[in-house]
Short mmCIF file of all heavy atoms in Angstrom, two decimals:
data_model
loop_
_atom_site.label_atom_id
_atom_site.label_comp_id
_atom_site.label_asym_id
_atom_site.label_seq_id
_atom_site.Cartn_x
_atom_site.Cartn_y
_atom_site.Cartn_z
N ASN A 154 24.08 41.56 -36.93
CA ASN A 154 23.15 41.02 -37.92
C ASN A 154 23.28 41.63 -39.31
O ASN A 154 22.31 42.12 -39.88
CB ASN A 154 21.69 41.14 -37.43
CG ASN A 154 21.45 40.32 -36.19
OD1 ASN A 154 22.03 39.25 -36.02
ND2 ASN A 154 20.60 40.81 -35.33
N TYR A 155 24.48 41.56 -39.86
CA TYR A 155 24.61 41.91 -41.26
C TYR A 155 25.79 41.19 -41.90
O TYR A 155 26.79 40.90 -41.28
CB TYR A 155 24.73 43.44 -41.48
CG TYR A 155 25.95 44.11 -40.89
CD1 TYR A 155 27.14 44.20 -41.61
CD2 TYR A 155 25.90 44.71 -39.64
CE1 TYR A 155 28.25 44.85 -41.09
CE2 TYR A 155 27.00 45.36 -39.11
CZ TYR A 155 28.17 45.42 -39.84
OH TYR A 155 29.28 46.06 -39.32
N TYR A 156 25.58 40.86 -43.18
CA TYR A 156 26.64 40.35 -44.04
C TYR A 156 27.31 41.55 -44.68
O TYR A 156 26.65 42.57 -44.92
CB TYR A 156 26.05 39.49 -45.16
CG TYR A 156 25.51 38.16 -44.75
CD1 TYR A 156 24.16 37.98 -44.50
CD2 TYR A 156 26.35 37.05 -44.67
CE1 TYR A 156 23.65 36.73 -44.16
CE2 TYR A 156 25.85 35.80 -44.34
CZ TYR A 156 24.50 35.65 -44.09
OH TYR A 156 24.01 34.41 -43.76
N TYR A 157 28.58 41.44 -45.02
CA TYR A 157 29.25 42.58 -45.63
C TYR A 157 30.51 42.17 -46.37
O TYR A 157 31.02 41.06 -46.22
CB TYR A 157 29.58 43.64 -44.57
CG TYR A 157 30.60 43.20 -43.54
CD1 TYR A 157 31.93 43.61 -43.63
CD2 TYR A 157 30.25 42.38 -42.47
CE1 TYR A 157 32.86 43.22 -42.69
CE2 TYR A 157 31.18 41.99 -41.52
CZ TYR A 157 32.48 42.41 -41.64
OH TYR A 157 33.41 42.00 -40.71
N PHE A 158 30.99 43.11 -47.19
CA PHE A 158 32.31 43.05 -47.82
C PHE A 158 33.13 44.20 -47.24
O PHE A 158 32.57 45.24 -46.90
CB PHE A 158 32.22 43.28 -49.33
CG PHE A 158 31.53 42.22 -50.13
CD1 PHE A 158 30.79 42.59 -51.25
CD2 PHE A 158 31.63 40.88 -49.83
CE1 PHE A 158 30.17 41.64 -52.03
CE2 PHE A 158 31.00 39.92 -50.60
CZ PHE A 158 30.27 40.30 -51.71
N GLU A 159 34.43 44.03 -47.17
CA GLU A 159 35.36 45.12 -46.87
C GLU A 159 36.00 45.51 -48.20
O GLU A 159 36.73 44.72 -48.80
CB GLU A 159 36.46 44.67 -45.91
CG GLU A 159 36.03 44.54 -44.48
CD GLU A 159 35.90 45.89 -43.75
OE1 GLU A 159 36.34 46.93 -44.29
OE2 GLU A 159 35.34 45.88 -42.66
N ILE A 160 35.69 46.73 -48.69
CA ILE A 160 36.22 47.18 -49.97
C ILE A 160 36.73 48.61 -49.82
O ILE A 160 35.95 49.53 -49.61
CB ILE A 160 35.15 47.13 -51.08
CG1 ILE A 160 34.57 45.72 -51.22
CG2 ILE A 160 35.73 47.61 -52.42
CD1 ILE A 160 33.39 45.63 -52.16
N ASP A 161 38.04 48.77 -49.93
CA ASP A 161 38.65 50.11 -49.89
C ASP A 161 38.15 50.95 -48.72
O ASP A 161 37.82 52.13 -48.88
CB ASP A 161 38.40 50.86 -51.21
CG ASP A 161 39.00 50.12 -52.41
OD1 ASP A 161 40.03 49.45 -52.24
OD2 ASP A 161 38.42 50.22 -53.51
N GLY A 162 38.06 50.35 -47.54
CA GLY A 162 37.63 51.07 -46.35
C GLY A 162 36.13 51.25 -46.25
O GLY A 162 35.65 51.91 -45.33
N HIS A 163 35.38 50.69 -47.18
CA HIS A 163 33.91 50.78 -47.15
C HIS A 163 33.33 49.42 -46.83
O HIS A 163 33.98 48.39 -46.99
CB HIS A 163 33.38 51.27 -48.50
CG HIS A 163 33.88 52.62 -48.88
ND1 HIS A 163 33.44 53.78 -48.28
CD2 HIS A 163 34.82 52.99 -49.79
CE1 HIS A 163 34.07 54.81 -48.82
NE2 HIS A 163 34.93 54.35 -49.73
N ARG A 164 32.08 49.43 -46.39
CA ARG A 164 31.45 48.20 -45.95
C ARG A 164 30.03 48.07 -46.53
O ARG A 164 29.05 48.31 -45.85
CB ARG A 164 31.38 48.22 -44.43
CG ARG A 164 31.44 46.85 -43.81
CD ARG A 164 31.49 46.97 -42.31
NE ARG A 164 32.80 46.53 -41.86
CZ ARG A 164 33.07 46.14 -40.64
NH1 ARG A 164 32.14 46.15 -39.72
NH2 ARG A 164 34.26 45.74 -40.31
N PRO A 165 29.91 47.68 -47.82
CA PRO A 165 28.58 47.38 -48.33
C PRO A 165 28.00 46.23 -47.53
O PRO A 165 28.74 45.30 -47.16
CB PRO A 165 28.82 47.00 -49.79
CG PRO A 165 30.28 46.76 -49.93
CD PRO A 165 30.97 47.43 -48.79
N ARG A 166 26.69 46.30 -47.24
CA ARG A 166 26.14 45.28 -46.35
C ARG A 166 24.70 44.91 -46.69
O ARG A 166 23.98 45.66 -47.32
CB ARG A 166 26.23 45.75 -44.91
CG ARG A 166 25.31 46.90 -44.57
CD ARG A 166 25.46 47.27 -43.09
NE ARG A 166 24.52 48.30 -42.71
CZ ARG A 166 24.79 49.59 -42.68
NH1 ARG A 166 25.98 50.01 -43.02
NH2 ARG A 166 23.87 50.46 -42.33
N ALA A 167 24.34 43.75 -46.20
CA ALA A 167 22.97 43.24 -46.28
C ALA A 167 22.56 42.88 -44.85
O ALA A 167 23.14 41.98 -44.24
CB ALA A 167 22.88 42.02 -47.19
N GLU A 168 21.59 43.62 -44.34
CA GLU A 168 21.16 43.43 -42.95
C GLU A 168 20.09 42.33 -42.88
O GLU A 168 19.32 42.14 -43.82
CB GLU A 168 20.61 44.74 -42.41
CG GLU A 168 21.67 45.84 -42.41
CD GLU A 168 21.10 47.21 -42.07
OE1 GLU A 168 19.90 47.34 -41.77
OE2 GLU A 168 21.90 48.17 -42.11
N TYR A 169 20.07 41.65 -41.75
CA TYR A 169 19.11 40.56 -41.58
C TYR A 169 18.62 40.45 -40.15
O TYR A 169 19.19 41.00 -39.22
CB TYR A 169 19.72 39.23 -42.03
CG TYR A 169 20.90 38.75 -41.21
CD1 TYR A 169 20.71 38.01 -40.05
CD2 TYR A 169 22.20 39.03 -41.59
CE1 TYR A 169 21.78 37.56 -39.29
CE2 TYR A 169 23.29 38.59 -40.85
CZ TYR A 169 23.07 37.85 -39.70
OH TYR A 169 24.13 37.41 -38.96
N ILE A 170 17.52 39.70 -40.03
CA ILE A 170 16.99 39.31 -38.73
C ILE A 170 16.86 37.80 -38.78
O ILE A 170 16.30 37.25 -39.73
CB ILE A 170 15.61 39.95 -38.46
CG1 ILE A 170 15.70 41.47 -38.46
CG2 ILE A 170 15.04 39.44 -37.14
CD1 ILE A 170 14.35 42.17 -38.47
N LEU A 171 17.38 37.14 -37.79
CA LEU A 171 17.28 35.69 -37.68
C LEU A 171 16.27 35.37 -36.59
O LEU A 171 16.46 35.76 -35.44
CB LEU A 171 18.66 35.12 -37.33
CG LEU A 171 18.93 33.65 -37.55
CD1 LEU A 171 18.63 33.23 -38.98
CD2 LEU A 171 20.37 33.34 -37.21
N VAL A 172 15.18 34.71 -36.97
CA VAL A 172 14.13 34.37 -36.01
C VAL A 172 13.86 32.87 -36.13
O VAL A 172 13.46 32.39 -37.19
CB VAL A 172 12.82 35.16 -36.29
CG1 VAL A 172 11.74 34.77 -35.30
CG2 VAL A 172 13.07 36.65 -36.23
N ARG A 173 14.10 32.19 -35.04
CA ARG A 173 13.98 30.73 -34.99
C ARG A 173 14.73 30.11 -36.17
O ARG A 173 15.93 30.22 -36.26
CB ARG A 173 12.52 30.31 -34.93
CG ARG A 173 11.93 30.58 -33.57
CD ARG A 173 10.47 30.13 -33.45
NE ARG A 173 9.73 31.22 -32.82
CZ ARG A 173 8.83 31.97 -33.42
NH1 ARG A 173 8.49 31.74 -34.65
NH2 ARG A 173 8.23 32.94 -32.79
N ASP A 174 14.01 29.53 -37.11
CA ASP A 174 14.66 28.83 -38.21
C ASP A 174 14.55 29.60 -39.52
O ASP A 174 14.75 29.02 -40.59
CB ASP A 174 14.06 27.44 -38.37
CG ASP A 174 12.59 27.50 -38.79
OD1 ASP A 174 11.93 28.54 -38.54
OD2 ASP A 174 12.10 26.52 -39.37
N LYS A 175 14.24 30.89 -39.48
CA LYS A 175 14.08 31.68 -40.71
C LYS A 175 14.98 32.90 -40.68
O LYS A 175 15.29 33.44 -39.63
CB LYS A 175 12.62 32.13 -40.88
CG LYS A 175 11.67 30.98 -41.06
CD LYS A 175 10.24 31.47 -41.23
CE LYS A 175 9.33 30.25 -41.30
NZ LYS A 175 7.94 30.64 -41.48
N ILE A 176 15.37 33.35 -41.89
CA ILE A 176 16.16 34.56 -42.00
C ILE A 176 15.38 35.58 -42.84
O ILE A 176 14.79 35.24 -43.86
CB ILE A 176 17.56 34.29 -42.59
CG1 ILE A 176 18.44 35.53 -42.49
CG2 ILE A 176 17.49 33.75 -44.01
CD1 ILE A 176 19.92 35.29 -42.69
N TYR A 177 15.36 36.81 -42.35
CA TYR A 177 14.69 37.92 -43.03
C TYR A 177 15.78 38.88 -43.48
O TYR A 177 16.52 39.41 -42.64
CB TYR A 177 13.76 38.65 -42.07
CG TYR A 177 12.63 37.82 -41.51
CD1 TYR A 177 12.86 36.85 -40.54
CD2 TYR A 177 11.33 38.02 -41.96
CE1 TYR A 177 11.81 36.09 -40.03
CE2 TYR A 177 10.27 37.26 -41.45
CZ TYR A 177 10.53 36.30 -40.48
OH TYR A 177 9.49 35.54 -39.98
N LEU A 178 15.93 39.08 -44.79
CA LEU A 178 16.85 40.10 -45.28
C LEU A 178 16.07 41.41 -45.33
O LEU A 178 15.06 41.52 -46.02
CB LEU A 178 17.40 39.73 -46.65
CG LEU A 178 18.38 38.55 -46.65
CD1 LEU A 178 18.82 38.21 -48.06
CD2 LEU A 178 19.59 38.85 -45.78
N THR A 179 16.53 42.40 -44.57
CA THR A 179 15.75 43.61 -44.35
C THR A 179 16.25 44.83 -45.11
O THR A 179 15.47 45.74 -45.39
CB THR A 179 15.71 43.95 -42.86
OG1 THR A 179 17.06 44.14 -42.39
CG2 THR A 179 15.04 42.85 -42.06
N HIS A 180 17.54 44.87 -45.45
CA HIS A 180 18.09 46.09 -46.05
C HIS A 180 19.42 45.78 -46.71
O HIS A 180 20.23 45.04 -46.15
CB HIS A 180 18.28 47.15 -44.96
CG HIS A 180 18.84 48.44 -45.45
ND1 HIS A 180 18.13 49.31 -46.24
CD2 HIS A 180 20.05 49.02 -45.25
CE1 HIS A 180 18.88 50.37 -46.50
NE2 HIS A 180 20.05 50.22 -45.92
N THR A 181 19.63 46.33 -47.90
CA THR A 181 20.91 46.21 -48.58
C THR A 181 21.41 47.62 -48.85
O THR A 181 20.65 48.47 -49.29
CB THR A 181 20.74 45.46 -49.93
OG1 THR A 181 20.19 44.18 -49.67
CG2 THR A 181 22.07 45.29 -50.63
#
């Protein structure tokens, strides 16, 4: 449950929770 980029061996990310038909972005 996270979106991310691969950059120079690092992984910046945006975490989420998917509940039914909604998405909650919880942490970047």
Side-chain angles (χ1 to χ4, degrees):
N154 297 326
Y155 64 87
Y156 288 97
Y157 66 101
F158 293 145
E159 284 283 349
I160 303 172
D161 299 329
H163 300 286
R164 210 175 248 201
R166 69 179 185 265
E168 299 171 4
Y169 64 86
I170 299 169
L171 197 55
V172 179
R173 287 182 226 111
D174 65 337
K175 296 181 185 180
I176 189 164
Y177 298 74
L178 289 177
T179 59
H180 180 70
T181 302

